[in-house]
């Protein structure tokens, strides 16, 4: 089972984005028969089989084995991945072409995230080693120091780009995102 399956075909998205199928897919994180899934979801095996067939056709579920039960063959199915990413290209841009955006805008950040998602999806997951790093943290910056913080961040990144920006060696892509932390519903800053 893959960690992530990147969906770029509209047929895959259509097969996945139905509440009943999402529940079936969750049950197939472990290999199970349609009868077992049906019992867990309080559905008929026929109804579950219908959804499993659509998921198999879309490449989201695979039959991993088969067993004989009371004279009939019963398939054992499993999800193809632990998580599924929908390509932003499935929806496309609303309102025409991309326009250049200020690097401090939300639109620019969304474009960057889309680019990173596409790049990660294109990596060869079967490679023995994928040298990568992910870092996440929270920084609190008083409003009067935001510009200073952004200038320091830009300077630190420029130093790294200058130090390692030569024409030789393995190419790595570096993307840094900085955005306001969303508040849980009902919670505000004091």
């Amino acid at each position: 089972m893959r960690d992530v399956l990147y969906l770029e075909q509209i047929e895959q998205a259509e097969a996945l984005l139905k509440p009943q199928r999402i529940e079936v897919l969750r049950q197939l994180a472990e290999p199970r028969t349609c009868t077992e899934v049906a019992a867990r979801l309080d559905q008929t095996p026929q109804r579950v089989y219908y959804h499993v067939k659509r998921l198999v056709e879309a490449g989201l579920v695979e039959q991993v084995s088969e067993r004989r039960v009371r004279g009939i063959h019963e398939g054992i199915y499993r999800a193809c991945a632990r998580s599924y990413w929908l390509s932003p290209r499935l929806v496309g841009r609303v309102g025409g072409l991309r326009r250049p955006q200020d690097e401090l805008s939300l639109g620019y950040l969304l474009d960057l995230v889309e680019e990173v998602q596409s790049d990660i999806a294109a990596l060869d997951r079967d490679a023995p080693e994928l040298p990568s790093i992910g870092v996440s943290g929270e920084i609190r910056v008083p409003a009067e120091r935001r510009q200073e913080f952004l200038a320091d961040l830009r300077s630190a990144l420029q130093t790294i780009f200058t130090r390692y920006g030569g024409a030789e060696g393995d190419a790595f892509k570096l993307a840094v995102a900085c955005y306001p932390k969303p508040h849980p519903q009902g919670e505000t800053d004091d």
Side-chain angles (χ1 to χ4, degrees):
M1 177 184 287
R2 298 173 68 172
D3 283 332
V4 176
L5 184 61
Y6 191 65
L7 307 180
E8 295 184 279
Q9 298 172 6
I10 194 71
E11 296 80 16
Q12 290 178 309
E14 287 172 347
L16 177 63
L17 295 177
K18 297 197 183 309
Q20 179 69 35
R21 290 196 189 141
I22 291 172
E23 288 307 312
V24 168
L25 192 60
R26 284 186 179 128
Q27 293 301 316
L28 294 174
E30 300 293 327
R32 293 193 170 102
T33 66
C34 292
T35 303
E36 292 168 333
V37 172
R40 289 170 159 264
L41 297 178
D42 197 27
Q43 299 285 327
T44 65
Q46 294 81 6
R47 183 178 176 102
V48 169
Y49 180 74
Y50 169 79
H51 291 300
V52 168
K53 277 308 246 188
R54 299 292 87 69
L55 292 167
V56 168
E57 290 168 1
L60 307 175
V61 165
E62 61 188 351
Q63 183 173 339
V64 293
S65 64
E66 188 176 80
R67 67 182 180 199
R68 193 171 175 93
V69 178
R70 287 181 244 125
I72 62 168
H73 293 277
E74 186 173 41
I76 300 173
Y77 301 91
R78 183 183 67 195
C80 291
R82 287 183 179 81
S83 61
Y84 297 83
W85 287 358
L86 293 176
S87 168
R89 285 184 229 118
L90 289 174
V91 174
R93 292 265 168 209
V94 177
L97 300 173
R98 270 187 203 189
R99 59 181 207 270
Q101 302 212 8
D102 177 354
E103 66 183 4
L104 299 179
S105 74
L106 180 59
Y108 185 87
L109 181 60
L110 290 170
D111 287 346
L112 177 63
V113 170
E114 181 179 326
E115 184 179 323
V116 169
Q117 181 177 329
S118 180
D119 287 348
I120 290 171
L123 292 174
D124 179 8
R125 287 182 179 33
D126 294 328
E129 181 182 325
L130 287 175
S132 58
I133 183 172
V135 177
S136 177
E138 183 176 316
I139 297 173
R140 294 195 175 257
V141 180
E144 65 274 7
R145 296 192 64 201
R146 281 187 195 146
Q147 291 305 318
E148 178 186 354
F149 165 70
L150 293 173
D152 286 349
L153 182 59
R154 184 177 288 124
S155 175
L157 291 171
Q158 191 59 47
T159 299
I160 290 171
F161 287 136
T162 301
R163 184 178 302 154
Y164 299 102
E168 297 179 14
D170 296 332
F172 287 88
K173 190 150 187 186
L174 175 65
V176 176
C178 184
Y179 52 90
K181 181 180 176 186
H183 296 291
Q185 283 195 344
E187 187 179 303
T188 60
D189 280 339
D190 292 327

